[in-house]
Amino acid sequence: MYRTFREVIGVFEGSDRWLIISTGFLLFLGVFVVYGAGSYNRQALHSPLGEHFIVFKHLMMIGLGGALMLVLAHIDYRLWRHPWINRSALGLTYMLVAMTLVTGRHDADGNAEINRWVSIFGFSVQPVEMAKLALVMYMADRLASSRAGARNVGRPLLITLAAGPLLLMVLLALQPNYGNVMVVAGVTVLLLFVTATADRWLRWLMMGAPVAVGLGYLVIPKIHNRINQLFAGFHGGSFGHQVDQSLIGLGAGGARGLGVGQSHNKFAFLPEAHTDFIYSVLGEEMGLVGSLGVIVLLMIFVWRGLVIAQRAPDSFGRALAAGLTGGLAIYGITNLAMVTGLFPVVGVPLPFVSFGGTAMLASLASIGLLLSIDRSSQSYLVYKRRWTRGGGAA
Amino acid sequence: MGDSDITVRHALLRTIIIVAFAILVVNLFQMTVIRHAYYQGQALENRQDRFRVRAPRGRIYDRDGNVLAANLYTSDITVPRKCLTAAGPDSTLNRLIEWFGLDRWETIDKLQQQAARKNQLVLVADASQARIFTVEERGRDLPGVKVVTHSRRQYLFGPLFAHSLGYLGEIGPADLDSTSDIYSQGDYIGKMGVEAAMEPVLRGTAGIKLEEVNASGRVVGRQPVWVQDVVPGTDVHVTMSLKLQQTLAAAIGDRPACAVALDVRTGEVLAAYSNPAFDPNIMGGSLTTKQWNDLISDPNKPLFNRITQATYPPASLFKTITSLAGLSGGHIGTATVLESCGGGWTFGGRYFRCWKKGGHGALDHTGALVNSCDTYYYQLGVRLQVDELAAAARAMGLGSRVTTEFDDEVKGNVPDSAWYDRHMGKGKWSRGVLMNTAIGQGELLVTPIQMAVVAGRIASSGAMPDPTFVKDPAPVRRQPKPLPFRAEYLSWLREAMRRTVAEGTGRTARLKTVSVAGKTGTAQNPHGNDHAWFMCFAPVEAPEVCLAIIVENAGHGGTEAGPIAHAFLAKYFHEDEADSVAVAVPVEIPEGAD
């Protein structure tokens, strides 16, 4: 039994220590803040666990995600390149995203909520989180395959883009979930960027992005309002209630914070205190020390993720690791910018810290994949080093 | 495109990410360090609410330490006005109605009546513990629903002390403007009697606390910060005695009447009862429109404090003052015999009747007072000057307020020559007015408490201080002015009054062991039957207590008011153990316990 446990845990030995440490610390901080912020959540009222309900769910998701991470870390990541797995994952998750357009969910007050959840076996999941994972795998595979002919990828690349990110973006825009549309676009560009797609293509994409944003601003009222609200805030007005409260929380926390569990914003001043706006509560409670800590940990995480990407043994691994890391980096930066009033409000959680079932699972799954890539690259490196040195005793 | 190209792009990506994080860090630093104070202020504003905490009002005790007025703490469950507009089966209001098992339409009707005036509507007044717990337990699901605890004044003896203690009423806009720092909307203040007079002492000081609240204004635990401590109101001891008040009320019964008894030595009001009275417990908040209308349309005016607000002609009680004026002015001696009474006297071509149709015959001064002979006093009256009589009346306390506590006390009227000039025209009145004034009729108007003071001043030769209702905290007392009458005249008057009770018109007030001095009166009432007056003091040798009584529309003072004085004095001097005088039980005054 003990040996089995050692074997399972063994994935950590020799794998990227800083990646594990930064993730672990983010999870650790998150649990404390979610406990406080979630204790006042109204969902907790109807649960026998009372104020412990949210943190219980949070810990459960970390447990599940941790298990998933270990499993994925033990599986060779190249398995996910198999077309059957790769494409059916994409198809299945896209179908789930499409399902959100049909089924809806109502919140406790009976208002129709934006359709972001589907129910699977009684569990509410946010399929977009799984779809993004599937998308990164799919794109990594396609871009890695076309690596050789990177200069004349024309049609295959267009097909890849259409079947992958564009379709998902359309589905998300219908939900509507413009925040994730943006994140998907960002991840796509990032993937194209790091897999050495021709500059010509990138140039088109770079030019396309502002045009798309401008078009969205003009045509879609929600985007229009959010961006206007942000600029109103820049000009000394209100950022809107949620962000105003978030800023007050962070600012009032000051350098040292009010102390863990002492946040005031969680008392219904700040909507979504335990999910998207967890960073504000964290900053209020732990002060600049805590909020800077989160940034440092995220930076360590991104740094290690990119290192793993760079030393991955094959181009699929490189693309996959860069896509996963970049995706989480975009999540983190977007969330922090939104909470601190630098970016319009988009419903993006803070990876590893925010409460959120599917997002937590997906984030930890990404770590599992990264660890798997790292393990292969390390054995590859060991092999390569031996080979270049002309062999040696093991 | 080679590996070096990819390395460049990775480097570029890292740079972009580092720049993004750097922007975040700079922004964070600015918020938490540079603008920290600003946000801290915002956060405080956000989460602290000022709560005013009313001070408990001081209790009122009688002179023997019995509680007369106390505070009862009750809780109301209130809902915000917007609850009325939010319909739906799961609305806050509907949930409450369901949990409490209230009648739906009746409740909504009740709330709508309040909606015009208030933001927080009382859903359940005087709520039970079970309901309060329900609201406090499920508070998070009931935005804006509050449990408001407040104290209600409780008068333990209901109408018995209604006029003298007064009652509490919601503060009016006038009081709010002038004293806005002390009071706040919805406060209750003393509206009458001791409650009004001692308001600054009884009310205490409201406290102010800052409580941390959530976005919907609900308090979220933690210790409040007290900006200003609650200072409870000071207890007040009144001079009245519960048992004497009960005796007086029982003796008066259900007749429209009032009586006031003073301690001659201290001027303290021992009992003061005005009938009909009202229940001060229902005044203020819970009074319905119908109850109010009943009170103000009652022809017997239950809200009217007869003791200090009603004015009557003093009638024959005034003969004591006429006598003193005559003696002091040297117009008459104590033994002077005037024209014999044959049932009336003619002056200025008019015939003035004595109350006794058959006449009293020839009387000396003492006999005239004892028998209250009008004829004698007509003759004495015309010997006086108008201003001479008025000065004597003023010296005895008429024509001005005798208490310093009751703002609603009226002065009555003592007509002098200036008054007649003003009201009848200079030269258009004659000394004939003295015919009426001398027997206490005409333009003379007095309050019952003034007549009690007259009795007390006669009894004490003017040493009795002005009456007060408050014993503790000790009020500032006015020093009595010495009477401008010689001591021998006053002692003659006391003896004449003793004989009035012993053998004259006031026999009904006689006691077995204690000598009583008194004077009866029958005030002519143009609107109906005569009012029966009686004033007295006892014991004659060393006066302790004095009393004035008026029974409206009752007839003769001797027969109607005298027995009330008897009942009171018997109780005071503990003669009632032998007699069978009915003693009232608290709160309810048995009707017709005459």
Side-chain angles (χ1 to χ4, degrees), chain A residues 78-89:
Chain A
R78 278 168 284 241
L79 176 67
W80 312 113
R81 245 195 128 164
H82 193 283
W84 275 100
I85 294 175
N86 196 298
R87 295 191 191 163
S88 54

Side-chain angles (χ1 to χ4, degrees), chain A residues 40 45 151 193 196-197 199 202 245 247 250-252 254 264 267-269 279 288 291 299 310 340 342, chain B residues 1 6 9-10 12 14 17 21 24-25 27-28 31-32 36 39 42-43 46-47 141 212-215 222:
Chain A
Y40 203 70
L45 279 178
R151 282 177 198 285
F193 187 72
T197 309
D199 287 340
L202 280 175
Q245 291 302 329
L247 295 183
L250 278 167
H264 192 84
F267 296 126
F269 284 108
Y279 189 64
L288 189 60
S291 46
M299 283 176 79
Q310 269 188 307
T340 53
L342 295 174
Chain B
M1 184 168 271
I6 301 235
R9 288 197 178 180
H10 265 279
L12 200 61
R14 271 200 296 274
I17 288 173
F21 276 121
L24 286 171
V25 169
N27 183 46
L28 205 58
M31 270 179 10
T32 56
H36 171 59
Y39 285 119
Q42 293 259 306
N46 225 349
R47 68 204 214 181
D141 267 353
E212 213 163 324
V213 296
N214 67 10
R222 298 185 222 191

Side-chain angles (χ1 to χ4, degrees), chain A residues 114-150:
Chain A
I114 296 167
N115 302 329
R116 288 181 188 175
W117 286 266
V118 288
S119 191
I120 300 173
F121 308 124
F123 291 98
S124 267
V125 295
Q126 231 178 329
V128 64
E129 302 296 340
M130 304 192 290
K132 279 186 289 191
L133 214 54
L135 173 69
V136 171
M137 283 185 192
Y138 170 75
M139 292 272 289
D141 171 49
R142 297 317 305 151
L143 294 172
S145 306
S146 62
R147 170 166 169 18

